[in-house]
Amino acid sequence: MTSPTHMTLAQARDALAKREMSARELAEAHLAAVEAARPLNAFTVETPEKALSMAEASDERLAKGEGRPLEGIPLGIKDLFCTEGVASTAGSRMLKDFKPTYESTVTANLWRDGAVLLGKLNMDEFAMGSSNMTSAYGGVENPWRAEGSDKKLVAGGSSGGSAAAVAARCALGTTGTDTGGSIRQPAAFTGIVGMKPTYGRCSRWGIVSFASSLDQAGPMARSVRDCAILLRSMSGHDPKDSTSIEQPVPDFEKALTGDIRGLKVGIPKEYRVDGMSEELERLWQQGIDWLRAAGAEIIDISLPHTSYALPTYYIVASAEASSNLARYDGVRYGLRVEGDSLDEMYEATRGAGFGREVKRRILIGTYVLSAGYYDAYYNKARQVRTLIARDFGQAYEKVDVILTPTTPGPAFPMGEKMDDPIAMYLNDVFTVPASLAGQPAISVPAGLSEQGLPLGLQLIGRAFDEQTVLRAAGVLEEAAQFTAEPAFVAGA
Amino acid sequence: MSVDLGTVRHIAKLARLHVEQEQAEALVGELNKILGWVEQLGELDTTGVPPMTSVVERSQPLREDVVTEEDSNSAVLANAPDSAHGFFVVPKVVE
């Protein structure tokens, strides 16, 4: 039998159902891996006692033949999700001692289906970042190393802990959230699969808000199938989130038929950006060839407003963030720094609680929403967002899914790009458009760079058509046969 | 449009955000760079284009107006930095 930490989630699920191992054994193996991987700084909190008691409850159910869809599956949870009685910091000093008295809907759904909590995962502060370096608890180290180098690389962000934990074999799957690429970019950097579902597919209730019109939870795991399994449990309408959609949740795993004959795959010419590296162009072409060989029809398309997506995103996301983060006022929860007046208390609290990137975005957001600038910046960006969504709408008249690279390059060294916000933002150039248009998108590890680092390909699909995205991703995964392992792997 | 130190101070005040002098000076350059970069949106003619309000089209959902939570005063106050007699405590606001 494969070592429990090296199984896919689907393999572990089947082994548990057949009673080839116990949920307790599976949890213990993963807890040991979590401990061994501490140098990566992927976890902000470990919950071994909780994990073991949840695993024991799963074993009782399995013994009675009452296993649920995720019975006994050990997962890590991004620290943006509120977990009852377990610290939920959002990677910020502001919420250092925050222990929610309630459970987010997405995590409640996972526990309802039998999953086991290993701990909470490090992330960029309030999910603002593409490197995980803005976390108040330190950056997350990528378990991968470039060939012949021992330089520490970023795990990507903002769901960097979630990505590193899965890549290092500490968890069978994790939750992430994606506002402009925060699931897909770290997934690509660490050689795993990460999916941002359609906006509204998963409830945002109990997830610390960053940019409410963009934030969406999604699964991260080592295979497309594992993501499909997790997504089914995470999804569903929630009366507590009026933007969650009242649609039945399909059995996403059933979408993985391996048959994409006749599927129309769009290749957007605007994604062939200036200075794209040769290795990335090669990988993209390889992806095109794989899908064509499997019977898909490849069609050139145009998404003319692509180059405006990033600036649009930074206006919209910062504006929403400045409004959402107004709640951290030192009164109801989180940090408080005393001052002589209420205003001074607010200012001192927020000055001490927020890190540099968060402050920068709050200020940008406040500026673009302020009198005199609202129309020039914020409204303009919302108009361009309409144009970007229309681009996709027109593309889907001709194609079913769109294939692009996930990131402009592989993981970069920790500490790089920190002084240049725009260079950091450019990491999300290929992921932001689908976020602005609310569409489902997945990153699949497709190959290694010349330095031996993972590179991902992205598939984007129509709103609420995760099944087609997953089906195509499954074919891509099968063709890519990505079996390379990172330099650091926890457990046997 | 260019941001100066006074503007940084003004928006920091609007955002109730204490910013150290040194950081405020650095922010002048950073914000100007970011705002200069986003200004490329001005190249696009958006006359008559409706600003996006909802990314996924749907009608506004309504639910029954009923009480769904029991009294949760202690849970609400559990994370408060300061509370007394079932209330949040803030610095004095009325002289």
Side-chain angles (χ1 to χ4, degrees), chain A residues 351-430:
Chain A
F354 294 136
R356 219 178 154 138
E357 179 64 20
V358 173
K359 282 183 190 163
R360 195 148 51 206
R361 296 208 202 183
I362 288 176
L363 293 175
I364 288 277
T366 305
Y367 184 74
V368 301
L369 289 176
S370 64
Y373 299 105
Y374 183 91
D375 279 326
Y377 289 107
Y378 182 61
N379 247 350
K380 182 82 183 180
R382 292 200 302 148
Q383 287 177 306
V384 179
R385 191 173 176 190
T386 299
L387 295 176
I388 290 164
R390 280 183 190 168
D391 283 357
F392 279 103
Q394 279 159 10
Y396 292 128
E397 287 170 13
K398 286 186 270 183
V399 301
D400 302 307
V401 289
I402 296 167
L403 178 74
T404 80
T406 308
T407 58
F412 48 87
M414 290 174 93
E416 247 177 42
K417 304 185 207 253
M418 295 305 285
D419 305 328
D420 186 352
I422 294 171
M424 188 65 92
Y425 299 169
L426 284 171
N427 266 291
D428 300 329
V429 64
F430 299 136

Side-chain angles (χ1 to χ4, degrees), chain A residues 97-101 198-200 213 237 239-246 305 307-308 310-312 314-315 330-336 338-343 345-348 350-351 354 356 359-360 362-364 366-368 370 373 376-377 379-387 389-390 420-422 425-426 435-438 463-464, chain B residues 1-4 7-20 22-63 68-69 72 74-83 87-93 95:
Chain A
D97 299 315
F98 180 58
K99 279 194 182 160
T101 52
T198 311
Y199 180 81
S213 79
H237 175 66
K240 288 187 281 199
D241 174 6
S242 68
T243 62
S244 75
I245 297 289
E246 289 183 68
H305 298 95
S307 69
Y308 298 101
L310 263 185
T312 301
Y314 275 90
I315 293 175
V331 174
R332 290 156 297 166
Y333 36 71
L335 182 76
R336 171 149 167 178
E338 295 300 341
D340 288 338
S341 65
L342 189 60
D343 268 346
M345 189 275 282
Y346 290 155
E347 287 174 5
R350 294 163 61 77
F354 294 136
R356 219 178 154 138
K359 282 183 190 163
R360 195 148 51 206
I362 288 176
L363 293 175
I364 288 277
T366 305
Y367 184 74
V368 301
S370 64
Y373 299 105
Y377 289 107
N379 247 350
K380 182 82 183 180
R382 292 200 302 148
Q383 287 177 306
V384 179
R385 191 173 176 190
T386 299
L387 295 176
R390 280 183 190 168
D420 186 352
I422 294 171
Y425 299 169
L426 284 171
S435 296
L436 289 169
F464 299 105
Chain B
M1 276 168 276
S2 130
V3 167
D4 56 17
T7 317
V8 169
R9 287 266 164 243
H10 174 63
I11 53 177
K13 183 81 203 168
L14 288 177
R16 298 294 184 271
L17 198 57
H18 174 74
V19 179
E20 300 288 344
E22 195 187 325
Q23 238 186 47
E25 282 163 18
L27 277 162
V28 173
E30 289 169 10
L31 297 193
N32 274 320
K33 208 170 154 194
I34 295 169
L35 290 168
W37 173 68
V38 300
E39 233 142 72
Q40 57 182 291
L41 298 188
E43 296 163 11
L44 289 172
D45 180 7
T46 50
T47 320
V49 177
M52 183 181 283
T53 48
S54 174
V55 68
V56 172
E57 271 182 48
R58 58 167 321 185
S59 53
Q60 187 65 32
L62 295 173
R63 61 161 175 79
T68 54
E69 304 269 325
S72 47
S74 61
V76 168
L77 292 173
N79 280 288
D82 194 2
S83 66
F87 292 95
F88 296 111
V89 175
V90 297
K92 198 170 168 186
V93 283
E95 290 304 323

Side-chain angles (χ1 to χ4, degrees), chain A residues 187-308:
Chain A
F189 275 15
T190 56
I192 65 164
V193 184
M195 184 172 206
K196 179 196 92 72
T198 311
Y199 180 81
R201 180 63 88 181
C202 296
S203 168
R204 290 182 296 107
W205 194 82
I207 301 173
V208 175
S209 300
F210 160 17
S212 305
S213 79
L214 294 154
D215 297 343
Q216 190 52 207
M220 303 173 80
R222 290 192 294 272
S223 77
V224 173
R225 181 173 301 276
D226 292 357
C227 282
I229 294 168
L230 286 170
L231 182 59
R232 184 187 180 190
S233 290
M234 293 168 73
S235 299
H237 175 66
D238 176 11
K240 288 187 281 199
D241 174 6
S242 68
T243 62
S244 75
I245 297 289
E246 289 183 68
Q247 274 205 16
V249 178
D251 184 346
F252 293 112
E253 201 181 354
K254 288 215 173 87
L256 305 175
T257 60
D259 183 2
I260 57 160
R261 283 171 300 171
L263 188 78
K264 295 188 173 75
V265 180
I267 309 300
K269 65 171 190 229
E270 289 80 7
Y271 280 60
R272 228 169 271 285
V273 291
D274 288 344
M276 181 182 274
S277 70
E278 210 178 295
E279 64 184 15
L280 204 61
E281 277 201 44
R282 231 181 1 248
L283 182 85
W284 195 6
Q285 187 56 48
Q286 179 65 259
I288 293 170
D289 294 343
W290 283 330
L291 294 180
R292 187 188 282 123
E297 189 187 336
I298 306 297
I299 298 169
D300 287 322
I301 58 165
S302 172
L303 299 168
H305 298 95
T306 298
S307 69
Y308 298 101

Side-chain angles (χ1 to χ4, degrees), chain A residues 93-210:
Chain A
R93 260 188 308 281
M94 189 62 96
L95 291 174
K96 187 168 85 63
D97 299 315
F98 180 58
K99 279 194 182 160
T101 52
Y102 52 87
E103 189 77 26
S104 84
T105 299
V106 163
T107 48
N109 290 348
L110 293 170
W111 317 140
R112 172 204 66 203
D113 283 356
V116 166
L117 174 67
L118 290 169
K120 302 294 291 289
L121 293 157
N122 201 348
M123 53 179 283
D124 277 303
E125 184 176 10
F126 287 107
M128 298 178 194
S130 309
S131 65
N132 216 119
M133 297 298 285
T134 72
S135 168
Y137 307 98
V140 173
E141 194 180 310
N142 193 323
W144 289 82
R145 288 282 185 280
E147 256 166 47
S149 163
D150 203 36
K151 216 176 225 182
K152 292 179 180 177
L153 306 173
V154 300
S158 67
S159 312
S162 303
V166 169
R169 273 69 179 167
C170 298
L172 293 174
T174 54
T175 61
T177 62
D178 193 313
T179 302
S182 281
I183 287 176
R184 292 161 284 162
Q185 186 252 22
F189 275 15
T190 56
I192 65 164
V193 184
M195 184 172 206
K196 179 196 92 72
T198 311
Y199 180 81
R201 180 63 88 181
C202 296
S203 168
R204 290 182 296 107
W205 194 82
I207 301 173
V208 175
S209 300
F210 160 17

